[in-house]
Each structure stands twice: as C-alpha cells, then as structure tokens.
Amino acid sequence: TRLQFEHAIQVPAEFSAKPKKDKMGLFDRCMAMCQDTDHRVRTAMAEQLHVIAGVVKNNGGDDATKRDMLQSIAEELLELLKDEEIEVRDAALGAAVEVM
C-alpha cells in the first residue's frame, strides 16, 4: 500500500529506501505542499491530487482513515480552486474533474 502510494506520487528512490519512521507523514507532507509559497509547487500538487485520491480510495487502510484522508484532499482541492494563480486554479479544476 505505502509503496503504491509512493509510486503514484513519484517519490524519489532515495526517500523510498528510508525506514517508515523517517518518512513519517508522507501524506501530510503532500497536503502541506498544497499550501507552498511557490505557485509551481502548488500547481504540481494540484495536478497529482486525483492520483493521490485514487490511491487512498483503493489502498488507504480502514474506512475511518480513508475518510479522513479524502476529506483532507477535498479541503486542499477547494483551497487550490481559490488560489490567486490561474495556473494553480486550472490544475485544481482538472484534478476535481478527474476525482469525480
């Protein structure tokens, strides 16, 4: 499950080889990158949110965990849809369409 998630969001191999405790909060880091100050980072994350949502739906663990993670994705997606940069909003809209 973790490896599928890492592959889906294209985690570099040097991070993938680290023990789980060193990668604590990979999902949380992805969600935090949605709020990055660089619009290019926000755009890249918006482009990947539908992929992350798909991985969570199919492999996210128990129902409560899936629900919480999908809620976080939805919240970030809504914020990205209101971003000041048009590129970010466009990427978020594309992700929203893909999630549906």
Side-chain angles (χ1 to χ4, degrees):
T1 302
R2 188 181 87 237
L3 294 176
Q4 290 172 325
F5 181 73
E6 291 172 356
H7 177 70
I9 63 169
Q10 302 173 354
V11 173
E14 62 269 15
F15 293 114
S16 184
K18 293 186 178 183
K20 188 174 181 178
K21 67 179 184 175
D22 290 342
K23 295 189 310 175
M24 187 176 83
L26 179 59
F27 178 81
D28 294 331
R29 289 179 193 169
C30 289
M31 295 301 97
M33 285 193 294
C34 292
Q35 300 294 321
D36 197 274
T37 57
D38 187 334
H39 76 280
R40 294 170 295 189
V41 173
R42 295 191 310 275
T43 300
M45 286 310 303
E47 291 170 347
Q48 295 300 314
L49 281 178
H50 73 281
V51 174
I52 296 168
V55 171
V56 169
K57 285 180 191 176
N58 295 322
N59 305 301
D62 62 75
D63 288 341
T65 301
K66 284 183 186 182
R67 185 175 49 249
D68 291 346
M69 293 173 85
L70 290 172
Q71 179 67 33
S72 293
I73 292 169
E75 290 170 4
E76 293 301 336
L77 188 54
L78 288 173
E79 286 297 316
L80 291 168
L81 285 166
K82 297 185 278 183
D83 197 274
E84 70 264 6
E85 296 288 338
I86 188 75
E87 297 167 41
V88 177
R89 292 193 308 264
D90 284 347
L93 184 58
V97 169
E98 290 292 330
V99 168
M100 293 180 184

